[in-house]
Amino acid sequence: MRTIILAVLCVLVAGCTITKTPEFVGGDRNSGVVRLAYDLPPLQNAHVDQYMAQNNANRACQAWGYATALSFGDPITTCTTTSASECLNEQVTTSWLCQGQLIQSNTAGY
């Protein structure tokens, strides 16, 4: 009975999915590349809120004068906190390419 309870607990813990929203962590304005990232503690599976990720990338690009952002490449996972040889926290970083030129209308009359 104890083995069954332990097995069920392992399945429940391993199956925990947390919704993550990537936040701006840097980039390069001249090349139009924005980087968004989120932290991923052990025993958690992440589901990325793609709508919010796109929104955050668009806002960063628009602050630099571009119109929109397009995700490219694979996410890069880096261990940010270790204890002995075990990773206690990972950071997952995604890259976005800014596109287009932001059009700003001039509402002042002549």
Side-chain angles (χ1 to χ4, degrees), residues 30-92:
N30 292 331
S31 63
V33 175
V34 168
R35 290 193 174 73
L36 303 179
Y38 60 91
D39 288 331
L40 187 59
L43 301 177
Q44 283 188 358
N45 296 320
H47 169 73
V48 177
D49 185 339
Q50 292 297 331
Y51 176 79
M52 288 304 295
Q54 180 74 53
N55 186 47
N56 288 346
N58 283 343
R59 284 190 312 159
C61 287
Q62 289 168 358
W64 289 347
Y66 295 93
T68 61
L70 177 66
S71 177
F72 73 95
D74 292 327
I76 298 170
T77 304
T78 307
C79 184
T80 58
T81 308
T82 59
S83 176
S85 63
E86 186 174 334
C87 185
L88 300 178
N89 191 63
E90 294 179 329
Q91 184 179 53
V92 181

